[in-house]
Amino acid sequence: MSVDVGLFGPDSVTWKLHREPILLLGGLRSLYLQALHPQAVAGVAQNSGYRSDPWGRLNRTSEYVATVIYGTTEQVERAASRLRRIHSHMTATDPRTGEKFRIDEPDLLRWVHVAEVESFLDTATRAGVKLTPDEIDRYYTEQLKAAELVGLDPATVPGTAAEVATYYDEMRPGLTLTKEGAETALFLTVPPAPDWGPAALRLGLTLGPTRWAYLGVASTAIGLLPSWARRLYGGPGWPTTDLTANLSARGLRLLLDTVISSLPSKYRVPPIRKAALERAGVAEG
């Protein structure tokens, strides 16, 4: 009887990479990058409840990504079907032209996909995760399965590092910082405190050390953007910014690994990854 390890499995680069907690930083970087596409950010701003429920939306997005990476085939197909169904009913209006468009148009889905997987990969490697050039290309190729889930033809999606670089070169002339993009970036940088817990705790999250720590994380995510993307945000494209961001990402990775290693063993591995490892009959390395 075959074991259902979902789309990837223990021998994949995807499982190797997504065990790294620093990918949380990569997810934030991807949101800043996605916000530079005028239609992509308009689609989010006009359809998403991220302003009224940012932490809920973040949790739902994280759950979807984790399901795609570690879920069974049935779990993955069910989650992807639900996502495609939701997207199929959504439209938005381009604030620059007044054009109405569907948010599941291939060009938009492709941009979101590439920005996400490239951000995961770039953040991890710059934070010190060791991957060979072959492993980097394998990750992009493996992620074509995730692209297909949202409705894309894998043949139209960049599947190697060289193809991603070419894709970014082709996309750059159409990228810019719109009003909605700037508002989204500001919201990502200074989000509201979670609406739970006693008032004193919420005040502490809003004004205390946690707020300043998050600002440091957000600044690192922006610093990890390609130099051309930082310039669109009005920031410097200097190589020194890349060096500073790399050092910060490495420090954050070390901090996360230290914190997680100090937790009781049952809390060190997310339940969905633990279940996948158990199905595959392998131990957490």
Side-chain angles (χ1 to χ4, degrees):
M1 182 177 179
S2 61
V3 177
D4 185 354
V5 293
L7 296 185
F8 305 106
D11 295 328
S12 66
V13 180
T14 295
W15 274 29
K16 176 181 179 179
L17 187 66
H18 282 262
R19 63 174 292 185
E20 296 285 340
I22 197 62
L23 262 64
L24 293 169
L25 178 63
L28 182 58
R29 176 195 188 269
S30 77
L31 295 177
Y32 282 112
L33 190 55
Q34 291 170 30
L36 293 173
H37 189 298
Q39 287 194 332
V41 74
V44 172
Q46 295 172 34
N47 286 279
S48 170
Y50 80 91
R51 290 185 182 277
S52 59
D53 183 26
W55 303 106
R57 184 178 187 275
L58 176 62
N59 184 60
R60 291 189 292 274
T61 300
S62 298
E63 286 181 350
Y64 175 78
V65 172
T67 299
V68 170
I69 302 301
Y70 296 117
T72 64
T73 302
E74 180 183 356
Q75 289 171 331
V76 172
E77 290 177 349
R78 187 165 60 244
S81 176
R82 179 178 181 275
L83 183 68
R84 291 194 303 271
R85 186 168 61 252
I86 292 172
H87 284 173
S88 69
H89 298 297
M90 291 182 176
T91 61
T93 301
D94 189 326
R96 304 165 304 165
T97 64
E99 174 193 359
K100 188 175 182 180
F101 60 91
R102 293 170 57 103
I103 71 165
D104 61 356
E105 290 183 358
D107 287 347
L108 301 184
L109 295 175
R110 188 179 304 109
W111 169 252
V112 172
H113 170 82
V114 174
E116 180 178 77
V117 297
E118 186 272 333
S119 289
F120 283 152
L121 193 53
D122 184 76
T123 299
T125 54
R126 292 170 68 179
V129 177
K130 302 299 183 183
L131 293 176
T132 66
D134 178 66
E135 286 178 316
I136 289 172
D137 280 346
R138 279 175 54 202
Y139 177 72
Y140 281 127
T141 302
E142 289 171 5
Q143 288 303 305
L144 294 179
K145 299 176 183 177
E148 188 172 15
L149 288 176
V150 298
L152 286 166
D153 177 354
T156 68
V157 180
T160 65
E163 290 176 1
V164 169
T166 299
Y167 173 76
Y168 276 163
D169 287 341
E170 294 170 348
M171 292 297 295
R172 282 176 58 182
L175 302 178
T176 188
L177 184 62
T178 63
K179 179 176 181 290
E180 287 176 324
E183 291 173 347
T184 298
L186 178 61
F187 189 86
L188 291 171
T189 306
V190 192
D195 187 20
W196 42 257
L201 175 60
R202 296 199 300 272
L203 181 62
L205 291 172
T206 302
L207 302 176
T210 303
R211 170 66 73 189
W212 295 107
Y214 177 80
L215 284 173
V217 172
S219 297
T220 300
I222 294 172
L224 289 170
L225 289 171
S227 58
W228 52 263
R230 295 200 304 271
R231 286 193 291 268
L232 288 176
Y233 275 117
W238 304 328
T240 51
T241 303
D242 295 319
L243 177 60
T244 301
N246 291 352
L247 293 173
S248 181
R250 287 174 179 263
L252 285 170
R253 181 182 178 225
L254 178 61
L255 176 62
L256 284 169
D257 288 348
T258 301
V259 170
I260 290 173
S261 66
S262 68
L263 296 174
S265 58
K266 64 180 180 179
Y267 297 121
R268 292 176 194 165
V269 181
I272 193 167
R273 176 175 170 86
K274 184 178 181 180
L277 291 169
E278 290 175 350
R279 289 196 307 274
V282 297
E284 176 74 9

